[in-house]
Amino acid sequence: MSCPVSSSSIWRHDLLEHGPLPGWQTKRFQRLSARLSAGTFPSALLLTGSEGVGKRRLGDALVRAVYCEQRGDSDPACGQCGGCRQLAAGSHPDLVICEPEEGKQSITVDVIREFSRKLYLTPQTAAGRVGYMPRADLMNVNAANALLKTLEEPPSTAHLILIADRPAHLPATIRSRCEQVRAVVESPDEAEAWLEEQFPDLSPALRQRLVMQPLLAESAQRHAQQESEIRRQLDMVWSQQRDPVLAAGELDDELLPRVGRVIHSCIADQFRLQMKQGASTRGRLAMQRLVDANAAALHLSQTSQANLRLLAETQLIEWARTGRLLTQN
């Protein structure tokens, strides 16, 4: 059976993607790194906290610390030694990563069995093996039960590092056999200063909303820009300045998954406006048809076979029809 728990391309891609350790995780890293040196690092560590706090970066840094041959307890990995080069190349023989199989949303029991089997193999370096689960809360029930056997009798030459956005999704038996560390933002001021430095164009309202999940800023900023572009197109379609089919055809592929949600928000804005202006029965019926069309599109967009561009076109046609009717009124 082909299994994705190798120490090759998955690690290389994810390591390069997640970037440097943010400042609010530094002290946490230093404490855990010192325990590595002292030989008191837990056999199973569970890092928890909401999405966007830097748990994955902390986990990456700890893996680097295990295999860096030149590090100090408070220093990041050197990036130059043999261990660091092997990690960068995605070829370290003792790193075992557990991710969902391609095309699947959960970690299955077969993946966990292969993951556990590799952990019990004799390590090729003095540092021992590391079993790394960046999305441990994606395990299904059978997978979690299989991992429990490994946690009950962990290999003496391996450490497990698990990460979970939603630790409550893990069975209590798994959580109880791991040392849990809440890798959260403890200083909002520090996170806000980081946001101001890294994302100076972020709106004050968005910066305040993200202060406890600062690493979501990049995607939030991108989503805000995408929403702005979709709203611009919707305004032109509503006022009959833009053909809805042409507008849907020219939307970038990256924007298509967000069209339905933005239209949903715009419908609410229009509904409030029409009620304030005293919309006619005909106008209210038109708005209701628009709501129904949007609800159907949102439902269909969740299926793997959904044609997002066709859904966008259908919604924009209904959006244009409603705009024309209400403008004429």
Side-chain angles (χ1 to χ4, degrees):
M1 181 193 70
S2 175
C3 186
V5 288
S6 66
S7 53
S8 54
S9 60
I10 292 176
W11 169 256
R12 184 175 189 176
H13 170 76
D14 285 346
L15 177 61
L16 295 178
E17 180 182 320
H18 286 83
L21 189 68
W24 58 87
Q25 297 289 7
T26 300
K27 290 183 180 179
R28 201 167 281 122
F29 166 75
Q30 290 172 349
R31 289 195 295 268
L32 291 167
S33 179
R35 292 181 63 184
L36 277 171
S37 299
T40 59
F41 196 83
S43 59
L45 173 69
L46 173 60
L47 301 175
T48 66
S50 58
E51 185 182 4
V53 297
K55 301 184 304 299
R56 182 60 188 269
R57 295 192 183 189
L58 176 58
D60 285 355
L62 289 171
V63 171
R64 294 190 198 101
V66 170
Y67 294 118
C68 178
E69 299 160 8
Q70 307 294 331
R71 69 168 180 89
D73 291 342
S74 61
D75 300 327
C78 71
Q80 304 298 321
C81 68
C84 287
R85 289 199 301 271
Q86 285 180 311
L87 286 179
S91 61
H92 200 287
D94 287 335
L95 175 62
V96 189
I97 296 179
C98 185
E99 292 271 15
E101 292 178 284
E102 186 174 356
K104 294 189 176 181
Q105 299 300 311
S106 64
I107 297 173
T108 62
V109 64
D110 288 335
V111 170
I112 291 297
R113 285 171 178 162
E114 179 67 5
F115 176 67
S116 297
R117 184 189 70 80
K118 290 190 174 185
L119 288 178
Y120 282 98
L121 296 176
T122 302
Q124 298 185 36
T125 63
R129 289 188 174 269
V130 170
Y132 194 26
M133 298 185 66
R135 295 183 288 178
D137 45 2
L138 295 186
M139 284 188 292
N140 63 28
V141 173
N142 290 335
N145 288 336
L147 181 67
L148 183 59
K149 296 177 182 178
T150 301
L151 293 175
E152 289 173 339
E153 298 180 12
S156 60
T157 56
H159 296 291
L160 278 79
I161 300 176
L162 287 67
I163 301 177
D165 292 340
R166 303 161 299 174
H169 286 214
L170 294 171
T173 49
I174 295 287
R175 300 195 304 269
S176 67
R177 285 168 173 78
C178 297
E179 180 173 325
Q180 295 188 50
V181 172
R182 294 188 69 245
V184 298
V185 174
E186 294 177 340
S187 171
D189 290 342
E190 183 178 17
E192 187 168 7
W194 182 87
L195 284 168
E196 289 177 356
E197 178 183 352
Q198 299 292 322
F199 300 93
D201 297 331
L202 208 63
S203 70
L206 191 53
R207 184 182 298 122
Q208 185 61 35
R209 182 161 63 87
L210 293 172
V211 73
M212 300 307 290
Q213 297 175 282
L215 294 185
L216 295 182
E218 185 174 0
S219 60
Q221 187 176 54
R222 183 172 66 254
H223 289 166
Q225 293 168 347
Q226 291 174 345
E227 180 172 332
S228 178
E229 172 58 20
I230 294 171
R231 282 180 175 270
R232 187 179 71 84
Q233 295 288 343
L234 289 174
D235 287 344
M236 290 191 292
V237 169
W238 181 271
S239 60
Q240 314 303 301
Q241 299 176 50
R242 189 89 165 89
D243 180 270
V245 176
L246 291 178
E250 293 179 7
L251 285 172
D252 291 340
D253 289 345
E254 190 179 8
L255 299 180
L256 293 176
R258 299 190 58 78
V259 170
R261 295 293 180 189
V262 177
I263 289 179
H264 182 80
S265 177
C266 290
I267 288 173
D269 294 341
Q270 278 294 338
F271 192 84
R272 285 191 291 268
L273 177 62
Q274 295 302 320
M275 292 302 100
K276 184 177 180 180
Q277 295 177 348
S280 64
T281 300
R282 186 183 177 193
R284 289 196 294 271
L285 288 174
M287 288 298 299
Q288 186 58 54
R289 284 196 301 272
L290 187 58
V291 169
D292 293 342
N294 177 246
L298 287 173
H299 175 72
L300 287 172
S301 69
Q302 302 304 310
T303 66
S304 58
Q305 295 80 26
N307 185 326
L308 295 180
R309 192 168 298 280
L310 182 59
L311 286 177
E313 180 180 308
T314 302
Q315 290 183 91
L316 262 64
I317 290 172
E318 190 64 38
W319 179 260
R321 182 184 295 121
T322 306
R324 181 169 59 252
L325 187 151
L326 293 178
T327 301
Q328 289 173 350
N329 283 351

